[in-house]
Amino acid sequence: MMTQYWSVDETNEAAAALAAGGIVAFPTETVYGLGGDAGNTQAVRRIFEAKGRPSDNPLIVHVEDVPAAMRLAKQVSDLERLLMEAFWPGPLTLVLPVREGVVSSLVTAGLDTVAVRVPAHEVARELIAASGRPIAAPSANRSGRPSPTLATHVRGDLDGRIDGLLDGGPTGVGLESTVVQVVGDRIHILRPGGVTREMLRQAVGERAVVDGADSQAAESAASQEQAPRSPGVKYAHYAPQGELLLVAGNPADMIAAVQAQVAEAKARGLRVGVLACAEHAPRYEADAVLDFGSRSEPEAAAQSLYALLRECDERGLDFIVAEGYDERGIGAALMNRLRKAAGGRVLQV
């Protein structure tokens, strides 16, 4: 298959490909998505095939505005409407009861809910509007690989496997959207992301928001379901080719623990890398030390994470030791992705 490449000036051509049943990668404010008409089962099946994605992993449907989201939902509560008003367009996905027949059953993995969001990226919304369709779009990478934050990442993973790629430059947040589901008067965070639990609490006032510890419990429970309610909770994700170990805990104890792991791995003849904050990076001796940015700016670490994981592969690293971050704000999403990239291998110090 020949993959077409378009600039943002050619958004209408990419939209025409989507309307014709094609699958197209496009930028959002989080990561690049691989989109197809959510109502076209053949197009949705091709998304799963191109990614090598398990078919019981539901997809997020991207729409141009709130009215388009309402057309997909059987009903919307007052609390869900409040979240839409507060965070759309933006990196928040709502799991809603799905209206029968509006999307392919492959999108929902056969569940009675659909995950929906309105992206904040102007090019993404223009593309969706021009296509005239709701667009199902997981991240535009091979399943299990780090998500793409640049068009070159998409090209490396999916060239020849998809119909087209709309190059909109680098993404903004760098991590996938926050996924929430409202149950009664509680907001359950199924996947942390660019909209933090602190932001949710500020928006809803006294209403209860499930915190990070409960979010991890929700992930564990979802992993036992045949089909999870949210993308990104059941299967391993974001992993580099080399083994990754996450070191979490007191920053004062982190440097010695990281360097000890590096020394042990080098003694085994491995090519070793370190993912570290700018303040600590000069103190490490490894085959590659990759800088997350200042520890006081976790947003920069979130934005650069996937690109750095891909760089680990480019450098041929066998073993990577990553520093952990405080789990306040965007740090919760950052640590969620690091744990998944490490496959649960965490050294607590």
Side-chain angles (χ1 to χ4, degrees), residues 154-210:
V154 180
R155 191 166 194 162
D157 277 8
L158 298 178
D159 186 40
R161 303 180 66 90
I162 63 177
D163 295 301
L165 165 60
L166 180 61
D167 188 346
T171 61
V173 178
L175 299 178
E176 296 83 356
S177 62
T178 303
V179 181
V180 303
Q181 184 172 18
V182 174
V183 181
D185 62 354
R186 289 174 64 82
I187 300 169
H188 293 258
I189 302 174
L190 303 183
R191 181 181 72 185
V195 173
T196 67
R197 61 180 177 269
E198 292 85 355
M199 293 165 65
L200 288 167
R201 286 171 175 159
Q202 184 176 8
V204 302
E206 296 302 315
R207 295 185 188 272
V209 178
V210 172

XYZ file of all heavy atoms in Angstrom, residues 154-210:
417
model
N 5.081 8.395 13.217
C 4.021 7.658 12.526
C 4.590 6.961 11.298
O 4.320 5.779 11.045
C 2.883 8.603 12.107
C 1.781 7.823 11.395
C 2.316 9.346 13.305
N 5.380 7.694 10.560
C 5.946 7.142 9.321
C 6.800 5.911 9.627
O 6.750 4.910 8.920
C 6.778 8.217 8.620
C 7.193 7.861 7.211
C 7.703 9.076 6.461
N 7.789 8.821 5.035
C 7.866 9.765 4.124
N 7.844 11.037 4.497
N 7.936 9.468 2.848
N 7.580 5.976 10.691
C 8.428 4.848 11.049
C 7.646 3.600 11.402
O 8.088 2.483 11.148
N 6.457 3.786 12.002
C 5.647 2.644 12.431
C 4.678 2.150 11.367
O 4.435 0.939 11.258
C 4.832 3.015 13.678
C 5.615 2.880 14.973
O 6.833 2.650 14.908
O 5.000 3.019 16.050
N 4.095 3.074 10.589
C 2.921 2.709 9.789
C 3.050 2.985 8.301
O 2.075 2.794 7.555
C 1.688 3.452 10.337
C 1.292 3.127 11.779
C 0.099 3.973 12.212
C 0.967 1.647 11.945
N 4.205 3.416 7.833
C 4.374 3.664 6.397
C 4.044 2.385 5.613
O 4.541 1.305 5.924
C 5.811 4.095 6.097
C 5.998 4.505 4.651
O 5.107 5.163 4.097
O 7.045 4.141 4.062
N 3.187 2.536 4.625
C 2.785 1.392 3.818
C 1.651 0.582 4.410
O 1.158 -0.350 3.762
N 1.209 0.934 5.614
C 0.117 0.205 6.270
C -1.170 1.026 6.339
O -2.211 0.492 6.696
C 0.528 -0.203 7.694
C 1.797 -1.036 7.766
C 2.137 -1.401 9.210
N 1.134 -2.289 9.773
C 1.189 -3.620 9.701
N 2.190 -4.222 9.069
N 0.247 -4.357 10.248
N -1.075 2.337 6.038
C -2.231 3.229 6.129
C -2.351 4.031 4.844
O -1.411 4.100 4.047
C -2.124 4.172 7.347
C -0.898 5.090 7.218
C -2.043 3.359 8.631
C -0.766 6.101 8.357
N -3.513 4.648 4.646
C -3.749 5.375 3.406
C -3.055 6.723 3.369
O -2.653 7.187 2.293
C -5.254 5.564 3.195
C -5.963 4.240 2.983
O -5.609 3.530 2.027
O -6.841 3.910 3.789
N -2.932 7.380 4.533
C -2.339 8.701 4.493
C -1.932 9.223 5.854
O -2.332 8.685 6.894
N -1.121 10.279 5.825
C -0.629 10.939 7.033
C -0.691 12.439 6.815
O -0.096 12.967 5.865
C 0.806 10.498 7.333
C 1.615 11.315 8.342
C 0.939 11.338 9.704
C 3.042 10.760 8.465
N -1.410 13.120 7.695
C -1.508 14.579 7.668
C -0.503 15.126 8.675
O -0.644 14.929 9.879
C -2.935 14.996 8.031
C -3.245 16.492 8.058
C -3.012 17.128 6.691
C -4.693 16.716 8.511
N 0.523 15.797 8.175
C 1.623 16.280 9.017
C 1.284 17.652 9.582
O 1.248 18.645 8.870
C 2.906 16.345 8.191
C 4.145 16.657 9.026
O 3.987 17.081 10.197
O 5.263 16.479 8.518
N 1.049 17.680 10.905
C 0.735 18.939 11.563
C 1.812 19.395 12.517
O 1.542 20.220 13.401
N 3.035 18.852 12.377
C 4.122 19.227 13.272
C 4.024 18.500 14.602
O 3.240 17.564 14.771
N 4.803 18.921 15.596
C 4.791 18.249 16.898
C 3.481 18.474 17.648
O 2.838 19.507 17.498
C 5.976 18.894 17.640
C 6.155 20.223 16.986
C 5.776 20.030 15.545
N 3.096 17.488 18.459
C 1.903 17.623 19.285
C 2.236 18.443 20.529
O 3.394 18.776 20.774
C 1.353 16.250 19.688
O 2.350 15.550 20.444
C 0.999 15.428 18.456
N 1.217 18.749 21.343
C 1.428 19.639 22.477
C 1.612 18.930 23.802
O 2.704 18.900 24.362
N 0.534 18.318 24.319
C 0.589 17.686 25.639
C 1.596 16.546 25.659
O 2.368 16.380 26.604
C -0.810 17.167 26.045
C -0.747 16.453 27.400
C -1.802 18.316 26.091
N 1.591 15.726 24.602
C 2.562 14.636 24.504
C 2.107 13.329 25.120
O 2.706 12.287 24.883
N 1.042 13.344 25.925
C 0.443 12.135 26.483
C -1.016 12.083 26.075
O -1.649 13.116 25.852
C 0.543 12.123 28.017
C 1.938 12.158 28.629
C 1.842 12.181 30.146
C 2.784 10.974 28.167
N -1.574 10.877 26.015
C -2.948 10.703 25.592
C -3.918 11.392 26.559
O -3.571 11.734 27.673
C -3.292 9.210 25.498
C -2.505 8.456 24.447
C -1.135 8.021 24.941
O -0.746 8.369 26.085
O -0.438 7.355 24.180
N -5.165 11.517 26.106
C -6.185 12.218 26.881
C -6.508 11.485 28.183
O -6.329 10.271 28.308
C -7.465 12.357 26.052
O -7.992 11.072 25.735
N -6.993 12.248 29.131
C -7.590 11.682 30.335
C -8.913 11.040 29.949
O -9.700 11.628 29.210
C -7.852 12.790 31.363
O -6.633 13.455 31.653
C -8.455 12.238 32.642
N -9.160 9.833 30.444
C -10.436 9.157 30.187
C -11.192 9.037 31.505
O -10.645 8.539 32.499
C -10.239 7.759 29.576
C -11.603 7.107 29.297
C -9.419 7.833 28.286
N -12.446 9.519 31.513
C -13.265 9.437 32.723
C -14.623 8.848 32.400
O -15.099 8.931 31.263
C -13.449 10.819 33.398
C -12.108 11.452 33.736
C -14.277 11.744 32.529
N -15.230 8.255 33.416
C -16.607 7.782 33.311
C -17.364 8.266 34.540
O -16.895 8.101 35.670
C -16.665 6.260 33.212
C -18.077 5.719 33.015
C -18.102 4.235 32.714
O -17.132 3.518 32.963
N -19.207 3.755 32.161
N -18.511 8.868 34.316
C -19.354 9.353 35.407
C -20.306 8.239 35.825
O -21.027 7.674 34.989
C -20.143 10.596 34.979
C -21.124 11.009 36.070
C -19.192 11.750 34.649
N -20.281 7.921 37.097
C -21.216 6.944 37.672
C -21.908 7.636 38.846
O -21.278 7.928 39.864
C -20.495 5.670 38.146
C -21.503 4.677 38.723
C -19.711 5.033 37.001
N -23.182 7.921 38.678
C -23.894 8.680 39.697
C -23.311 10.074 39.807
O -23.246 10.810 38.828
N -22.828 10.449 41.003
C -22.233 11.769 41.190
C -20.722 11.672 41.385
O -20.103 12.578 41.933
C -22.879 12.494 42.368
C -22.678 11.761 43.683
O -22.136 10.633 43.662
O -23.060 12.312 44.729
N -20.134 10.575 40.894
C -18.686 10.388 41.014
C -18.042 10.311 39.632
O -18.577 9.680 38.707
C -18.364 9.126 41.807
C -18.694 9.245 43.286
C -18.511 7.924 44.020
N -17.124 7.465 44.013
C -16.192 7.898 44.867
N -16.483 8.837 45.762
N -14.969 7.419 44.823
N -16.890 10.948 39.510
C -16.131 10.916 38.267
C -14.982 9.929 38.454
O -14.078 10.160 39.264
C -15.580 12.313 37.918
C -16.726 13.303 37.753
C -14.740 12.255 36.654
C -16.268 14.744 37.659
N -15.000 8.846 37.708
C -13.963 7.818 37.807
C -12.906 8.080 36.734
O -13.225 8.114 35.541
C -14.563 6.432 37.614
C -15.495 6.026 38.719
N -15.125 5.150 39.720
C -16.775 6.405 38.995
C -16.133 4.990 40.550
N -17.140 5.750 40.139
N -11.662 8.241 37.150
C -10.567 8.432 36.206
C -10.086 7.054 35.759
O -9.446 6.329 36.526
C -9.417 9.233 36.829
C -9.903 10.596 37.317
C -8.276 9.395 35.820
C -8.857 11.392 38.082
N -10.409 6.682 34.523
C -9.995 5.384 33.989
C -8.579 5.427 33.435
O -7.886 4.406 33.430
C -10.963 4.933 32.894
C -12.441 4.833 33.303
C -13.273 4.310 32.139
C -12.608 3.945 34.523
N -8.172 6.592 32.942
C -6.792 6.780 32.470
C -6.397 8.227 32.709
O -7.052 9.136 32.214
C -6.682 6.456 30.967
C -5.266 6.603 30.414
C -5.196 6.305 28.917
N -5.807 7.369 28.120
C -5.956 7.307 26.799
N -5.592 6.217 26.148
N -6.510 8.311 26.134
N -5.342 8.488 33.479
C -4.906 9.876 33.670
C -4.287 10.444 32.397
O -3.745 9.703 31.571
C -3.865 9.768 34.793
C -3.342 8.375 34.686
C -4.482 7.532 34.199
N -4.380 11.748 32.246
C -3.833 12.381 31.045
C -3.695 13.875 31.230
O -3.459 14.362 32.337
N -3.890 14.622 30.142
C -3.641 16.057 30.145
C -4.566 16.851 31.033
O -4.202 17.942 31.490
N -5.779 16.372 31.259
C -6.676 16.999 32.245
C -6.444 16.278 33.570
O -6.767 15.104 33.712
C -8.148 16.896 31.813
C -9.062 17.386 32.930
C -8.391 17.709 30.543
N -5.886 16.972 34.518
C -5.474 16.342 35.777
C -6.648 16.210 36.741
O -7.674 16.876 36.597
C -4.370 17.163 36.453
O -4.931 18.423 36.874
C -3.211 17.424 35.499
N -6.477 15.373 37.761
C -7.554 15.225 38.744
C -7.770 16.529 39.501
O -8.888 16.840 39.907
C -7.275 14.066 39.703
C -6.033 14.168 40.549
C -5.924 12.931 41.447
N -4.714 12.919 42.244
C -3.582 12.359 41.873
N -3.488 11.769 40.686
N -2.516 12.388 42.650
N -6.700 17.342 39.677
C -6.850 18.642 40.327
C -7.734 19.570 39.483
O -8.567 20.317 40.012
C -5.479 19.279 40.563
C -4.628 18.561 41.598
C -3.827 17.394 41.029
O -3.991 17.057 39.828
O -3.031 16.801 41.783
N -7.565 19.529 38.181
C -8.388 20.335 37.276
C -9.840 19.868 37.310
O -10.774 20.685 37.296
C -7.824 20.252 35.860
C -6.457 20.912 35.698
S -5.614 20.429 34.156
C -6.709 21.140 32.931
N -10.047 18.563 37.364
C -11.402 18.033 37.448
C -12.082 18.504 38.730
O -13.240 18.939 38.714
C -11.375 16.509 37.391
C -11.029 15.880 36.033
C -10.725 14.396 36.194
C -12.160 16.090 35.036
N -11.360 18.405 39.843
C -11.938 18.811 41.124
C -12.283 20.294 41.136
O -13.304 20.705 41.693
C -10.976 18.459 42.255
C -10.943 16.970 42.560
C -9.844 16.612 43.519
N -9.910 15.195 43.873
C -8.893 14.488 44.353
N -7.722 15.056 44.534
N -9.053 13.216 44.643
N -11.440 21.099 40.541
C -11.711 22.532 40.488
C -12.963 22.820 39.662
O -13.749 23.712 39.993
C -10.511 23.272 39.894
C -10.678 24.783 39.884
C -9.426 25.488 39.387
O -8.475 24.859 38.911
N -9.411 26.804 39.492
N -13.172 22.024 38.611
C -14.302 22.267 37.721
C -15.635 21.849 38.320
O -16.663 22.493 38.077
C -14.097 21.533 36.401
N -15.630 20.765 39.113
C -16.902 20.227 39.591
C -17.210 20.598 41.034
O -18.229 20.183 41.585
C -16.965 18.690 39.422
C -16.777 18.312 37.974
C -15.930 17.996 40.304
N -16.352 21.371 41.665
C -16.607 21.807 43.026
C -16.595 20.664 44.012
O -15.617 19.933 44.117
N -17.693 20.477 44.721
C -17.745 19.492 45.794
C -17.980 18.070 45.307
O -17.937 17.134 46.094
C -18.865 19.870 46.786
C -18.620 21.181 47.497
C -17.309 21.186 48.271
O -17.025 20.194 48.967
O -16.570 22.184 48.156
N -18.241 17.897 44.043
C -18.501 16.550 43.534
C -17.243 15.682 43.665
O -16.122 16.157 43.520
C -18.955 16.588 42.077
C -20.296 17.273 41.875
C -20.710 17.153 40.416
N -21.900 17.950 40.146
C -23.130 17.511 40.293
N -23.339 16.295 40.751
N -24.154 18.286 40.001
N -17.452 14.408 43.883
C -16.331 13.503 44.141
C -15.632 13.131 42.838
O -16.263 12.844 41.829
C -16.831 12.238 44.839
N -14.302 13.144 42.886
C -13.465 12.681 41.783
C -12.590 11.568 42.321
O -11.926 11.732 43.345
C -12.578 13.815 41.226
C -11.682 13.292 40.110
C -13.441 14.974 40.726
N -12.606 10.421 41.649
C -11.772 9.308 42.076
C -10.319 9.708 41.932
O -9.893 10.200 40.889
C -12.073 8.058 41.222
C -11.084 6.951 41.512
C -13.476 7.591 41.484
